[in-house]
Amino acid sequence: MRPECGFDSTGKNRGAGSGHYHPPAPQPRSPGGKVLRREPMVWVGAAGYDTHRRSPLPLAVSKQGVCIFREHTLASLDSAAIDWRIAYTSASLSGLSAAVRAGLAITVLTPSMLGPDMRVLGTEDGLPVLPSIEIALHRSTKAATEATEQLALQLHAHIAGYSAEHWRGLPAAKAKKTMGHG
């Protein structure tokens, strides 16, 4: 059984050793825009579960072709020769997070996306290093309204306002807190 939320999954599993690794390029399907910040991608599992120790590794991902996170996740696992399977797909962060918090799968997020009862996993857990991503603001080429200008300004201020040190420090602190140490 493979639960799906919001759309059908058409992804094809590629197991270990398939050699299908392609180095990531920034914003491959969405060039341009104003880069507001770079943020590391991190492996995320549920606090209190050892889902990352299962084989094949159960993953919660978006639909193929929708999100660069899926591509980086699968390429990193293939490159490290780690067997994986797609256990859950969702069109939303809340759907992916629910699957992770229930211990059904692990996923890849950024530190700013971490929710309650989640913990960061890493190389010490047998998982490969992941790249960073760019968070960019894309605006329409059509005439902007005052409302869209204000929204763009608010997004820029909120997202770009966090320093790199803030995001670097968040995973460890968040992981400790979710495991009851903080």
Side-chain angles (χ1 to χ4, degrees):
M1 181 171 112
R2 182 170 61 201
E4 297 177 17
C5 179
F7 52 76
D8 291 332
S9 172
T10 58
K12 186 177 181 182
N13 288 352
R14 291 180 295 173
S18 67
H20 291 118
Y21 180 72
H22 303 284
Q27 304 291 330
R29 284 185 302 280
S30 183
K34 179 178 175 108
V35 175
L36 303 178
R37 183 180 67 242
R38 287 183 60 82
E39 195 170 349
M41 295 172 71
V42 293
W43 297 99
V44 178
Y49 288 90
D50 64 351
T51 310
H52 63 286
R53 299 196 191 287
R54 297 182 194 155
S55 182
L57 184 64
L59 301 173
V61 295
S62 64
K63 181 179 177 183
Q64 186 172 0
V66 172
C67 180
I68 192 69
F69 283 55
R70 177 188 172 118
E71 295 170 22
H72 288 307
T73 300
L74 303 184
S76 294
L77 292 171
D78 284 346
S79 181
I82 296 173
D83 285 324
W84 55 268
R85 69 179 179 86
I86 295 176
Y88 188 85
T89 60
S90 177
S92 70
L93 175 59
S94 61
L96 295 174
S97 297
V100 169
R101 284 192 312 273
L104 301 174
I106 68 168
T107 196
V108 170
L109 302 175
T110 63
S112 64
M113 301 165 101
L114 288 173
D117 302 320
M118 293 180 166
R119 66 183 177 114
V120 174
L121 304 168
T123 55
E124 66 278 4
D125 299 298
L127 297 167
V129 174
L130 293 162
S132 291
I133 59 145
E134 293 177 341
I135 298 175
L137 178 61
H138 293 263
R139 299 174 71 177
S140 172
T141 57
K142 297 178 182 177
T145 66
E146 180 62 26
T148 59
E149 287 296 322
Q150 288 301 314
L151 177 61
L153 287 171
Q154 290 298 315
L155 287 170
H156 184 272
H158 179 73
I159 293 171
Y162 289 102
S163 68
E165 290 75 28
H166 172 82
W167 297 119
R168 266 189 237 115
L170 184 60
K174 191 99 170 173
K176 278 181 122 177
K177 187 174 183 179
T178 60
M179 295 185 342
H181 302 309

